[in-house]
């Protein structure tokens, strides 16, 4: 893995948005669209420069971080489950068929931990 790969990802994302901004220019959008989207492109490129500075000042090796709480792996599943419950009130109760099993998985992860080595 190259050392400056995160910079390439963020800068490439900004350049892709710059290309999309140029496509909007071809279709004749209003100046407000150019100002808003151009500001986003500028912020993305600024984020890319900040990522490059961070990568250059950081260590050469990737550092592994352990999750401090054994039930912390349940947070993403619980968040998606709660989002689906909220969306069920807008788009219909059929989303509860997706949310309830996802919340059950989150509860199981919170109770039992995320890996067998944590017991």
């Amino acid at each position: 893995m190259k050392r400056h790969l995160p910079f390439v990802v963020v800068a490439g994302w900004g350049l892709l948005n710059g290309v999309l901004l140029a496509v909007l220019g071809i279709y004749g959008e209003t100046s407000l669209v150019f100002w808003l989207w151009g500001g986003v492109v500028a912020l993305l490129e600024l984020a890319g420069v900040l990522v490059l500075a961070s990568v250059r000042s950081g260590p050469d090796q990737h550092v592994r971080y352990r999750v401090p709480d054994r039930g912390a792996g349940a947070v993403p599943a619980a968040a998606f489950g709660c989002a689906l419950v909220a969306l069920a009130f807008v788009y219909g109760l059929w989303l509860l068929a997706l949310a309830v099993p996802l919340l059950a998985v989150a509860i199981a992860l919170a109770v039992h931990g995320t890996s067998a080595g944590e017991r």
Side-chain angles (χ1 to χ4, degrees):
M1 178 177 268
K2 292 186 178 182
R3 183 173 177 188
H4 303 301
L5 184 62
F7 163 73
V8 173
V9 170
V10 177
W13 184 23
L15 289 175
L16 178 65
N17 273 290
V19 169
L20 293 174
L21 180 63
V23 169
L24 286 176
I26 293 171
Y27 286 109
E29 285 291 331
T30 63
S31 64
L32 178 65
V33 172
F34 288 120
W35 279 105
L36 291 175
W37 204 305
V40 168
V41 171
L43 285 176
L44 280 172
E45 295 305 325
L46 176 66
V49 169
L50 292 175
V51 167
L52 179 63
S54 173
V55 168
R56 284 193 177 182
S57 67
D60 289 337
Q61 299 176 2
H62 292 285
V63 179
R64 289 189 170 191
Y65 297 101
R66 294 190 51 86
V67 178
D69 184 18
R70 68 185 193 114
V75 172
F80 285 124
C82 290
L84 285 175
V85 168
L87 289 173
F89 290 108
V90 177
Y91 293 108
L93 296 179
W94 64 271
L95 279 174
L96 291 178
L98 300 173
V100 170
L102 193 56
L103 289 172
V105 168
I107 291 170
L109 284 173
V111 170
H112 296 295
T114 56
S115 69
E118 293 177 346
R119 292 183 182 172

